[in-house]
Amino acid sequence: MVFDVIVVGAGIWGAASVDACKNAGRSVLWVYDDDDVERPTAASVDLARIVRAEYSDPAYRMLAKGCLEAFKTEPRYSMYFHQSGW
């Protein structure tokens, strides 16, 4: 089978990427590790999720900025968004 997009990872960016691609009508293959082992040191654990938008690649910064804006403004995400001040 051929997909328009392959997303690797189920963290906050992976999930947002899959959501955005599907909303844009793209076919998506979502690859993630389903071993049910919590990673307590991961940035996307529990209520202390860290979302950053500072990357060296300009294209990735643009994607992160767009996703961050969606987390702040779209009702399905905004109720979970809290600006930490970092």
Side-chain angles (χ1 to χ4, degrees):
M1 182 171 220
V2 176
F3 296 92
D4 296 320
V5 178
I6 298 173
V7 176
V8 178
I12 194 143
W13 293 121
S17 297
V18 169
D19 187 54
C21 290
K22 287 192 171 220
N23 286 337
R26 306 282 172 103
S27 61
V28 181
L29 173 62
W30 193 5
V31 181
Y32 58 93
D33 189 0
D34 190 19
D35 62 8
D36 290 333
V37 176
E38 285 192 32
R39 310 279 191 257
T41 59
S44 59
V45 173
D46 198 26
L47 296 176
R49 286 171 173 70
I50 296 172
V51 178
R52 65 182 177 134
E54 192 59 41
Y55 296 95
S56 59
D57 185 321
Y60 203 62
R61 279 197 308 268
M62 204 163 65
L63 174 63
K65 184 178 178 184
C67 288
L68 190 56
E69 188 59 32
F71 289 133
K72 290 179 179 180
T73 60
E74 290 190 23
R76 61 185 165 177
Y77 303 128
S78 62
M79 67 175 135
Y80 303 109
F81 183 83
H82 171 73
Q83 186 75 39
S84 70
W86 275 36

